[in-house]
Structures are given as C-alpha cells and as structure tokens.
Amino acid sequence: GAVVSQHPSRVICKSGTSVKIECRSLDFQATTMFWYRQFPKKSLMLMATSNEGSKATYEQGVEKDKFLINHASLTLSTLTVTSAHPEDSSFYICSATLDRGGEQYFGPGTRLTVT
Amino acid sequence: DAKTTQPPSMDCAEGRAANLPCNHSTISGNEYVYWYRQIHSQGPQYIIHGLKNNETNEMASLIITEDRKSSTLILPHATLRDTAVYYCIVDSGYALNFGKGTSLLVTP
C-alpha cells in the first residue's frame, strides 16, 4: 500500500517555541492531506484538511493562527505548532489520500511534548 | 457523515475468528463503510471498505446488511498482533470521523 511518513517521530520543546511537523507521501501524489490530533486514550480528532496550493480548512475550535498548515506540493504538508504550550502536547497524525472518497493512508504519528 | 456505534471492547482467543459489529443506522446511499485499526502509539491502518456488497481482502472480510444499517468486520484467524482499536467509519468522501472504536484484545 501507499506509504506516508512523518518527521520527526518524537519531539520535546520548551513552552513558547514553535515546532514544525512534516508529512510526506512517499510513493504517490496526494491531492488532499489531513491533520489529526489524538490525546491519550482518546480517539483521533480532525484538525484541518489541506489541499495542495490552497489554504487549509480548519475544523471548528482549531486556531488557524496557532496551527499553521502549508501544503506546498502534492507530496508534502507541514504543520507548525506556534508558541507551543503544555496543553498542545499530543500525538499528531497526518493522512493522505489520492482522491476524494478514496482510502486514507496514515503516517506513523508525531508525539509532541511541550515542557 | 453518519454516526456509528461500536461496543467499547471485545476479547477473542488467538486463532479464532473475531467478529466486530458496527451500527450505522443513519447511513445514506452514497456513504461507504470503512474500517481502520490503530495499534497502540501508531498511526491508523486501513483494513477494508465497502458500499453495499460484502468485501474480502487479505486482512479481513466485511459483511454489510442488506439495509446497510449495520456491518461486521471479520478477522478470520485472529493473532496477538491483531490487538488494537478498531474503528468503523461511515465516509462520504471527506475527512474521517473517528468514534471511540472497539478495543479488541486477542488472548493466547
């Protein structure tokens, strides 16, 4: 199946700093990428939908100025957590899809810890 | 997207079939039923999907009732590595709405 990678897999940062997470589709071009967040023992929550070359669509309650999403190419989307705080500590997961309605391929996730 | 209901947890003996039910009574005609699973601290993994016909692949079988209001994911010979949270999702072509899923524990 298609492969999606994320980098880094784990990151620890200090409160107030910014962290960038990359999501890459390795063997296919993804028209759409999604960003999810998962707190411990909770389900995945969609944060935003990202289409190449256009602005991301954020879910209600997700601050677009705090979680900056850039989808510069069909194989790369980045999520930047700006001015991170301890409550932003979470497991961030991206997924990519070839076309609308198709199956989604998930990355392995990035565990962010803000101290 | 239609909402799904799954039991919070299930146990299954290794080597036996695991049958995971899902109710999606408000599903509409163009919505697919998708199943994903998530092993602890990993990204979700696609398992199978279907519209109205039963489907089978190398991982599992998906049985969808004729009225499409419920479905069952079948792992024919569960192994310890199948221990995971299984999500049944009804999707109309947008982002996936993950519910709480079923935590499947496969025991030796």
Side-chain angles (χ1 to χ4, degrees):
Chain A
V3 178
V4 174
S5 70
Q6 280 185 242
H7 178 80
S9 58
R10 189 180 296 266
V11 58
I12 300 172
C13 72
K14 292 186 177 180
S15 187
T17 62
S18 295
V19 174
K20 180 185 284 188
I21 303 170
E22 291 186 350
C23 176
R24 293 181 185 272
S25 56
L26 298 185
D27 51 1
F28 68 102
Q29 292 187 327
T31 55
T32 305
M33 288 184 170
F34 301 91
W35 286 95
Y36 296 83
R37 179 169 52 185
Q38 186 175 33
F39 292 107
K41 298 185 179 181
K42 299 293 185 181
S43 189
L44 283 78
M45 295 296 294
L46 178 68
M47 298 176 67
T49 302
S50 173
N51 292 298
E52 185 263 339
S54 62
K55 290 184 178 181
T57 302
Y58 290 81
E59 295 300 300
Q60 192 173 10
V62 178
E63 301 175 58
K64 62 180 181 180
D65 294 331
K66 182 170 182 61
F67 299 99
L68 301 179
I69 292 173
N70 184 282
H71 195 155
S73 75
L74 285 171
T75 60
L76 173 65
S77 177
T78 60
L79 168 68
T80 302
V81 183
T82 62
S83 187
H85 291 286
E87 57 265 32
D88 298 324
S89 298
S90 188
F91 194 46
Y92 291 87
I93 305 169
C94 73
S95 71
T97 183
L98 276 164
D99 49 40
R100 187 177 178 85
E103 62 205 61
Q104 290 188 25
Y105 303 96
F106 285 83
T110 296
R111 186 161 301 283
L112 170 64
T113 303
V114 184
T115 61
Chain B
D1 292 341
K3 184 178 178 179
T4 62
T5 304
Q6 298 177 253
S9 64
M10 293 181 65
D11 291 350
C12 177
E14 187 178 19
R16 305 296 292 270
N19 297 285
L20 290 87
C22 179
N23 285 322
H24 32 79
S25 58
T26 60
I27 192 170
S28 62
N30 63 342
E31 291 180 315
Y32 284 76
V33 179
Y34 281 80
W35 283 83
Y36 287 79
R37 73 179 182 184
Q38 186 178 26
I39 296 170
H40 182 63
S41 294
Q42 297 182 23
Q45 177 189 23
Y46 165 82
I47 302 173
I48 199 168
H49 76 283
L51 184 61
K52 55 182 179 181
N53 297 323
N54 296 338
E55 302 287 344
T56 295
N57 62 21
E58 64 278 4
M59 289 183 69
S61 294
L62 174 60
I63 308 299
I64 303 174
T65 58
E66 193 168 342
D67 62 8
R68 303 213 318 127
K69 292 185 177 182
S70 65
S71 62
T72 301
L73 177 74
I74 301 173
L75 307 178
H77 306 286
T79 70
L80 299 179
R81 287 176 295 191
D82 291 324
T83 291
V85 178
Y86 287 77
Y87 296 98
C88 167
I89 301 168
V90 171
D91 180 33
S92 58
Y94 191 57
L96 300 174
N97 183 9
F98 285 84
K100 296 182 178 180
T102 295
S103 179
L104 175 68
L105 175 64
V106 181
T107 57

